[in-house]
Amino acid sequence: MKLDAEIALAHRLADAAGAAIRPHFRVAAFERKGDQTPVTAADRAAEEAMRAILATAMPADGVIGEEYGVAPGTSGREWVLDPIDGTTGFVAGRPLFGTLIALLVDGFPVLGVIDQPILGERWVGVVGQPTLFNGREVRTRACPVLAEASIATTGPHYFSNHDGEHFMALAALTDHKRMVMGGDCYNYAMLASGHLDIVCESNLKVYDWAALVPVVEGAGGVMADWNGDPLRLGSDGHVIALGDPARLDDVVEGLAGLH
């Protein structure tokens, strides 16, 4: 799939979002959305900037954004935007959040960007191409056995009691003394760059995971739901990422161990 124009556009979107976000870092106040999660002026400004570019550059494409919802298109393609994935960390002044940009074709992610605008770090994944970190190829690392795997999740409070029990059953099979809490999308970027082995989460929306799939898989990893099936528009929000695809069955079995 040749996506040169779309890749260039994704870089423009990330640049625009970063320019909107940086003036608010470590000075932003926040409000509460209806679900009590925080939102800031930076979230809104970044998504507005990206939507304005897409309205001109790709008017036939749909847009799905965290802050401003769905704008239907006619092309069968959707751009999926999360202006700040990790607003809680952003409000706390931690540069571990990211802007997520994805392109879906027929419901499947074919292009993804994770951009960290404070640290100047950008991962770009495209189906059929190697993932690039600031223009250089990156690779996930091998994980010979599950017991040696480092595992990460954004936080235990994002799991239901049921899902939390299954996550902890999996974590117990890993090198859980090295478990990482917090990090949102940055965990997936670290997995793509070979610094983590597993990320496991639930209750994710499409704008939380769509950009991550091409980044992780282009680096040699795999992403799936908790049954091991590929992620697509309509997936239920249970997400696993593995640096070594050979461990997928082990992880799925570990998650299912309490059934």
Side-chain angles (χ1 to χ4, degrees):
M1 184 174 291
K2 192 171 178 61
L3 294 170
D4 291 350
E6 288 82 358
I7 295 167
L9 177 58
H11 280 289
R12 283 181 59 202
L13 298 176
D15 290 344
I21 289 167
R22 283 188 290 273
H24 298 278
F25 186 58
R26 294 182 178 165
V27 296
F30 69 92
E31 305 168 19
R32 297 280 185 183
K33 293 194 276 192
D35 61 2
Q36 296 302 300
T37 58
V39 64
T40 71
D43 295 83
R44 296 188 177 112
E47 186 167 324
E48 288 169 353
M50 291 189 287
R51 282 177 177 265
I53 292 170
L54 287 170
T56 300
M58 295 288 180
D61 291 355
V63 180
I64 303 170
E66 179 175 12
E67 306 306 333
Y68 293 105
V70 178
T74 59
S75 67
R77 311 190 326 168
E78 293 91 19
W79 291 87
V80 184
L81 311 174
D82 191 345
I84 298 180
D85 182 76
T87 301
T88 297
F90 175 79
V91 170
R94 302 178 67 197
L96 301 180
F97 64 92
T99 296
L100 300 181
I101 300 162
L103 175 62
L104 305 185
V105 176
D106 296 328
F108 288 93
V110 299
L111 183 159
V113 173
I114 305 172
D115 188 68
Q116 212 311 306
I118 307 304
L119 301 177
E121 297 180 333
R122 184 175 298 175
W123 290 259
V124 179
V126 181
V127 65
Q129 300 182 29
T131 292
L132 302 180
F133 167 61
N134 288 354
R136 296 178 290 106
E137 291 186 21
V138 289
R139 297 291 297 175
T140 60
R141 66 187 182 194
C143 182
V145 295
L146 192 59
E148 296 178 4
S150 62
I151 188 168
T153 193
T154 297
H157 53 296
Y158 292 104
F159 292 112
S160 67
N161 288 339
H162 175 267
D163 287 348
E165 290 176 357
H166 286 270
F167 170 78
M168 290 307 296
L170 169 63
L173 302 175
T174 69
D175 187 0
H176 56 275
K177 298 293 186 182
R178 296 163 57 212
M179 185 187 301
V180 174
M181 292 285 180
D184 299 276
C185 65
Y186 202 74
N187 288 333
Y188 298 84
M190 292 297 96
L191 183 143
S193 290
H195 305 300
L196 288 170
D197 298 305
I198 302 169
V199 186
C200 181
E201 300 187 282
S202 66
N203 297 313
L204 298 190
K205 305 295 191 293
V206 64
Y207 46 74
D208 295 315
W209 60 257
L212 310 174
V213 176
V215 171
V216 168
E217 296 191 344
V222 64
M223 287 188 65
D225 65 17
W226 284 18
N227 294 316
D229 296 323
L231 299 172
R232 62 162 298 150
L233 193 62
S235 291
D236 69 0
H238 290 79
V239 170
I240 49 178
L242 294 92
D244 190 338
R247 300 281 73 75
L248 179 59
D249 288 347
D250 297 337
V251 168
V252 171
E253 290 173 9
L255 284 166
L258 296 179
H259 286 303

